[in-house]
Amino acid sequence: MFGWSRVRAAARRFGLGAVLGLVSAVLALGVGRLAAAFVRPESAPVIAVGNRFILLTPESLKDFAIRTFGQQDKTALLVGIHLVLAGYAIVVGVAGLRRRWLGVAGVAAFGAVGVLAAVTGNAAGPLDAVPSVLAAAAGIAGFLLLRRLLRRPLPVAGDGTGRSGGTDPDEATAGGTGTPGTDRRAVLQAAGGAAGLVVLGGAAGTAGATLQDRRYSAASSRSAVRIPAPAERAKPVPAGTELSVPGISPWRTANADFYRVDTALALPQVPADSWQLRVHGMVDHPLTLSYQDLLRRPLIERDITLSCVSNEVGGHLAGNARWIGARLAELLREAGVQRGASQLVSRSADGMTIGTPVETVLDGRDALLAVAMNGEPLPIAHGFPVRMLVPGLYGYVSACKWLVDLELTTFRAYDPYWVRRKWSRFGPVRTASRIDTPKPFGQVAPGTVTVAGVAWAQHRGIAGVEVRIDDGPWQRARLARTVDDDVWRQWSLRWQGATTGDHQLTVRATDGTGATQPQTRRTPFPRGATGWHSIAVTVTG
Ligand SMILES: Nc1nc2c(c(=O)[nH]1)N[C@H]1C(S)=C(S)[C@@H](COP(=O)(O)O)O[C@H]1N2
Ligand SMILES: [Mo]
């Protein structure tokens, strides 16, 4: 009997401690979010810690996250941070219910981690510490208040002041004025206090989010933007560029479906009217450009396929869009690139740095400072107001989003973000081909099966695609027509005489230089995946 009451008391202490910790955490995060709306979005404790985490994670873990969670990697990270935080809050709450100083120290430690993450973040200043400090202060206040309320209906061992520490919880209640659980008023007060603090934290968080949208969102700036008609339209898209095969990737990727890869947990919000681009470093005439200056330049419209070095064989980190932008080469020539300048370093509003070979930008390809994507101003997630694009290079060495600074320098003098993380300094895209239909492990009817997909080798072009059924001979696929070598190409093959059973379909492409994709499987790190995309299908009928 005595044993049971102890277990019950322990369970109740745990439950109350958990409530104490979680409520304090909700209050702290809400206040942190609200304060961040006055400093900057990236200074909110959770965002700051998340961003720090992204910067510190080894490439292998990042690869794992992209593989496992795909485009949801950031959601997964935020969910993960909140789960860890919840666990921590429970521990602190349970410990703090017993010993007050443990609770205070626990919340303070949370604040310290937030401060550290915030002030060491990209483009951070000392003010970035404020939200975490206020969050911790609110958390401590909430903790102390709720602790008092919770300890009245159910006194537990030690009040943490050191005066009566160490007493057994059951003994302590025996010495109290009421029996535990019978003091209804105290129970109601505690429950009301907890609920009130949660509402307060929630309200602060919501107000913070709303305020942040109003103060920081570039959405209104984006909807006010009018992109002038380009001086040079996109090349006509020949009939037959897009095959009518169900299940194939559309030739043009809708903005909503375009893959997104970046390190930004909170999307950088850069209004067009305050945007400036500095061009400096090894140039004869450093210059600064406003958004209007950029729009006044002759704009060209181009279909360009963009792909990510992290794409696995058969993966979906590639897309094709119609972009409008100013010619980057012309701007650089106006600035006067000095002899010896080998690397163009682009910097974003969120502190990303990307290094591109100057000679590639100047070799006549359509390198752009892009302002529009598929007939709209750049979406915020894709770099509004201005991003860079260089056909033929992976995004990590060319496609800086939220671009604010261009510096001409040498490869010797500077290592940009990904290079510091051991990715290859140069990132020409590797030839890739993908089977879109049938789907992997899909079922198809016997007879004739249409196998189709896309292949890309930007700036070299796709000269051929072949498909192999099981260990059979390579069969030439039909290539869709194409605008030019900077866009991906659809292909299809009629697989005749498909017999019931399991089959393996494999694809490989040959680029415009005559080089066929190698069979050797290589991981995306450090210079892009290689190998043939192969899928298993079942023919049933
Ligand atoms: N500011 C910024 N620009 C960036 C990145 C980034 O993390 N931050 N990622 C690059 C990478 S790795 C790729 S593949 C492309 C992806 O562009 P998208 O998200 O528009 O598809 O953006 C590039 N530009
Ligand atoms: Mo990328």
Side-chain angles (χ1 to χ4, degrees), residues 259 261 307-310 395-396:
Y259 81 95
V261 170
S307 56
C308 181
V309 68
S310 294
Y396 84 105

Side-chain angles (χ1 to χ4, degrees), residues 390-429:
V390 183
L393 303 184
Y394 283 126
Y396 84 105
V397 288
S398 67
C400 188
K401 306 194 274 188
W402 314 289
L403 174 72
V404 293
D405 188 290
L406 288 173
E407 182 182 3
L408 284 124
T409 178
T410 62
F411 279 107
R412 221 154 205 260
Y414 186 76
D415 284 346
Y417 181 87
W418 300 103
V419 174
R420 269 179 265 146
R421 285 158 181 78
K422 303 283 182 269
W423 289 83
S424 170
R425 192 180 288 289
F426 303 104
V429 297

Side-chain angles (χ1 to χ4, degrees), residues 259-263 308 348 350 352 382 387 399 401-402:
Y259 81 95
R260 179 187 153 204
V261 170
D262 54 59
T263 58
C308 181
S348 72
D350 63 328
M352 170 56 64
H382 295 288
R387 79 175 305 169
K401 306 194 274 188
W402 314 289

Side-chain angles (χ1 to χ4, degrees), residues 234-507:
K235 298 174 198 165
V237 179
T241 298
E242 176 136 36
L243 303 175
S244 52
V245 175
I248 197 170
S249 302
W251 181 73
R252 182 169 298 142
T253 315
N255 289 351
D257 300 333
F258 208 95
Y259 81 95
R260 179 187 153 204
V261 170
D262 54 59
T263 58
L265 207 47
L267 282 179
Q269 305 287 327
V270 185
D273 47 21
S274 62
W275 180 84
Q276 285 201 322
L277 177 67
R278 217 157 77 83
V279 184
H280 61 113
M282 297 171 68
V283 290
D284 294 333
H285 321 285
L287 48 92
T288 303
L289 228 69
S290 72
Y291 190 66
Q292 284 312 317
D293 293 338
L294 188 66
L295 293 191
R296 272 196 288 271
R297 300 180 69 84
L299 301 178
I300 63 172
E301 183 184 49
R302 287 291 181 270
D303 293 302
I304 296 171
T305 297
L306 177 63
S307 56
C308 181
V309 68
S310 294
N311 195 46
E312 301 278 346
V313 170
H316 284 79
L317 300 181
N320 184 43
R322 174 161 290 187
W323 312 87
I324 294 175
R327 288 184 184 281
L328 176 56
E330 274 175 16
L331 184 72
L332 293 190
R333 290 210 169 89
E334 279 172 33
V337 177
Q338 292 172 355
R339 277 172 64 99
S342 54
Q343 180 173 223
L344 175 65
V345 173
S346 44
R347 283 191 180 79
S348 72
D350 63 328
M352 170 56 64
T353 54
I354 283 180
T356 312
V358 171
E359 58 172 25
T360 312
V361 173
L362 298 181
D363 75 358
R365 70 185 76 200
D366 293 322
L368 295 182
L369 296 176
V371 291
M373 180 179 185
N374 290 330
E376 295 174 20
L378 275 185
I380 292 173
H382 295 288
F384 180 81
V386 181
R387 79 175 305 169
M388 228 172 89
L389 277 181
V390 183
L393 303 184
Y394 283 126
Y396 84 105
V397 288
S398 67
C400 188
K401 306 194 274 188
W402 314 289
L403 174 72
V404 293
D405 188 290
L406 288 173
E407 182 182 3
L408 284 124
T409 178
T410 62
F411 279 107
R412 221 154 205 260
Y414 186 76
D415 284 346
Y417 181 87
W418 300 103
V419 174
R420 269 179 265 146
R421 285 158 181 78
K422 303 283 182 269
W423 289 83
S424 170
R425 192 180 288 289
F426 303 104
V429 297
R430 293 183 126 151
T431 305
S433 54
R434 180 177 77 211
I435 300 172
D436 287 332
T437 179
K439 297 280 171 252
F441 306 109
Q443 298 199 342
V444 292
T448 302
V449 177
T450 301
V451 184
V454 283
W456 60 93
Q458 294 95 299
H459 213 60
R460 299 188 302 280
I462 292 293
V465 169
E466 298 161 287
V467 176
R468 188 174 72 178
I469 316 295
D470 300 320
D471 294 322
W474 287 103
Q475 306 180 44
R476 275 206 159 272
R478 178 165 74 99
L479 283 183
R481 297 188 64 189
T482 190
V483 170
D484 64 22
D485 291 342
D486 293 343
V487 294
W488 64 9
R489 225 166 152 176
Q490 294 186 336
W491 57 267
S492 76
L493 177 101
R494 283 163 67 81
W495 168 23
Q496 272 152 350
T499 52
T500 52
D502 293 340
H503 296 283
Q504 182 99 17
L505 310 181
T506 306
V507 65

Side-chain angles (χ1 to χ4, degrees), residues 38 49 65 91 133 169 193 209 213 269 376-377 436 461 463 481 535:
F38 291 94
V49 168
V91 170
V133 170
D213 268 1
Q269 305 287 327
E376 295 174 20
D436 287 332
R481 297 188 64 189
I535 64 164

